[in-house]
């Protein structure tokens, strides 16, 4: 099954970079919506194959993990939009940053999920640590939902700029450029560094969230990666509409609290775990409420300039 998954991912990446986006260009909203729909369909189709091959429980766990990761990626989209705005990266170069960022994510998530799953299987109490962490994180997100994020004052950007030569202007699609006999980083590379760092931060939430659903490394990793593969398309589709999902942060906060709490609730009820259909149903309900309330409260609002 691992070989099938790896083959699909490699084929998708090759199609994306080698055929569909071989030349740097601006990706429109309509194309992004189609691409996002295709990636979601592929992710769910793979979930159907998991269901058929490994059974109902595995299939439900995959779909739940896929939905959770896709939802948390929405928050990632908002931060990535701020990164590109702060570093003045034109839309025609943003796909290049996101593509190489996704490659880094695939490796990083493999390491984090492998370590996390091994820790949970070796030391059962680690799952309760993850669960408590999710509850605390959810509460923190709720309390800081209205606090603005200042990417320009990021400690990561300050660190890189202090220790490396960085050009003030872009040099096309290049991450590095040679000037006066010395190599310089470009703002495009800074954007890539920030995208990778942001994913690391979000992975600290999303990986424990899915491990709280299932500790099967195959289910955790495949649902994670299929959700992330469509992140580029999701970004270009939603970057101009982030203001319409203002209240989604509160839904994501509640979702993390629910995922963390159900580990303790299952113990209190004497269950091995909360039934997968219940987890999936509550997940859909929370996210649907968050999206619906956001669209209702922001109807008629102009797009921020």
């Amino acid at each position: 099954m691992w070989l099938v998954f790896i083959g699909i991912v490699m084929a998708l990446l090759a199609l994306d970079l080698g055929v569909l986006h071989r030349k740097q260009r601006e990706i429109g909203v309509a194309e992004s919506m189609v691409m996002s729909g295709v990636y979601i369909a592929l992710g769910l189709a793979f979930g159907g194959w998991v269901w058929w091959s490994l059974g109902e429980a595995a299939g439900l766990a995959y779909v739940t993990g896929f939905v959770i990761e896709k939802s948390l990626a929405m928050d990632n989209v908002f931060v990535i939009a701020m990164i590109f705005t702060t570093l003045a990266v034109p839309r025609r170069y943003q796909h290049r940053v996101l593509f190489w960022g996704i490659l880094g994510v695939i490796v990083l998530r493999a390491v984090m999920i492998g370590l996390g799953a091994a820790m949970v299987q070796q030391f059962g109490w680690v799952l309760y640590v993850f669960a408590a962490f999710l509850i605390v994180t959810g509460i923190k997100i709720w309390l800081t939902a209205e606090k603005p994020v200042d990417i320009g004052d990021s400690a990561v950007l300050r660190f890189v700029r202090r220790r490396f030569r960085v050009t003030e202007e872009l040099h096309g699609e290049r991450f590095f450029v040679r000037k006066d006999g010395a190599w310089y980083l470009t703002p495009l590379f800074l954007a890539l560094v920030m995208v990778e760092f942001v994913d690391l931060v979000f992975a600290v939430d999303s990986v424990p969230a899915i491990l709280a659903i299932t500790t099967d490394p195959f289910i955790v990793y495949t649902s994670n990666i299929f959700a992330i593969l469509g992140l580029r398309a999701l970004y270009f589709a939603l970057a101009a509409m982030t203001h319409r999902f203002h209240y989604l942060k509160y839904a994501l906060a509640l979702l993390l609290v629910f995922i963390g709490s159900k580990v303790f609730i299952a113990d209190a009820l004497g269950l091995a775990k909360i039934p997968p259909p219940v987890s999936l149903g509550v997940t859909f309900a929370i996210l649907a409420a968050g999206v619906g309330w956001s669209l209702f409260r922001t109807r008629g609002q102009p797009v921020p300039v």
Side-chain angles (χ1 to χ4, degrees):
M1 293 188 75
W2 279 106
L3 290 177
V4 173
F5 166 71
I6 293 171
I8 294 173
V9 171
M10 295 298 291
L12 288 173
L13 292 175
L15 178 66
D16 192 331
L17 185 64
V19 179
L20 298 178
H21 303 104
R22 184 170 49 188
K23 296 181 179 179
Q24 296 299 322
R25 59 183 176 83
E26 183 174 328
I27 299 176
V29 174
E31 180 184 352
S32 301
M33 293 294 287
V34 172
M35 289 172 55
S36 188
V38 169
Y39 275 113
I40 290 173
L42 288 173
L44 293 177
F46 189 84
W49 182 63
V50 169
W51 192 313
W52 178 75
S53 301
L54 301 178
E56 178 183 350
L60 285 173
Y62 172 92
V63 174
T64 305
F66 179 81
V67 171
I68 290 172
E69 179 59 41
K70 203 72 175 176
S71 305
L72 293 174
M74 293 277 287
D75 214 16
N76 210 339
V77 165
F78 305 152
V79 179
I80 290 173
M82 286 188 284
I83 291 172
F84 287 145
T85 299
T86 300
L87 296 174
V89 177
R91 283 179 65 90
R92 66 180 179 276
Y93 299 137
Q94 291 173 6
H95 179 272
R96 176 175 170 79
V97 174
L98 293 176
F99 177 85
W100 290 106
I102 292 298
L103 290 182
V105 168
I106 289 174
V107 176
L108 179 65
R109 292 294 174 98
V111 174
M112 294 187 67
I113 289 170
L115 290 175
M119 289 173 63
V120 170
Q121 291 176 1
Q122 186 71 24
F123 309 103
W125 53 267
V126 172
L127 184 60
Y128 297 96
V129 175
F130 285 165
F133 173 77
L134 291 174
I135 295 172
V136 172
T137 301
I139 294 172
K140 182 179 177 181
I141 290 175
W142 182 284
L143 295 176
T144 60
E146 302 297 331
K147 185 178 179 180
V149 179
D150 186 4
I151 297 297
D153 194 40
S154 165
V156 176
L157 284 181
R158 293 199 307 269
F159 175 85
V160 174
R161 281 178 167 143
R162 280 199 307 265
R163 285 163 175 76
F164 300 93
R165 301 182 184 92
V166 181
T167 64
E168 294 296 326
E169 69 286 342
L170 288 168
H171 288 265
E173 62 180 39
R174 300 173 67 180
F175 289 129
F176 310 98
V177 64
R178 192 172 179 83
K179 295 173 58 177
D180 302 324
W183 285 100
Y184 285 76
L185 308 180
T186 70
L188 205 64
F189 185 78
L190 292 186
L192 177 60
V193 170
M194 287 302 298
V195 167
E196 294 288 4
F197 176 74
V198 165
D199 180 75
L200 176 62
V201 173
F202 278 94
V204 172
D205 296 336
S206 64
V207 171
I210 300 182
L211 286 172
I213 301 295
T214 176
T215 56
D216 184 331
F218 180 78
I219 302 298
V220 176
Y221 188 63
T222 54
S223 61
N224 235 260
I225 297 306
F226 267 109
I228 291 170
L229 281 175
L231 180 60
R232 300 183 309 284
L234 186 67
Y235 167 77
F236 289 110
L238 299 180
M241 304 189 305
T242 54
H243 66 293
R244 296 300 311 276
F245 297 94
H246 177 74
Y247 296 95
L248 185 59
K249 272 187 174 290
Y250 294 101
L252 295 177
L254 287 177
L255 181 59
L256 291 178
V257 171
F258 164 71
I259 295 169
S261 299
K262 74 187 190 67
V263 173
F264 297 103
I265 292 173
D267 257 13
L269 296 177
L271 302 173
K273 61 181 178 179
I274 299 296
V278 174
S279 294
L280 185 58
V282 173
T283 297
F284 269 119
I286 292 174
L287 295 175
V291 171
W293 184 246
S294 291
L295 295 176
F296 174 74
R297 288 297 302 270
T298 59
R299 66 192 187 284
Q301 288 187 8
V303 178
V305 179

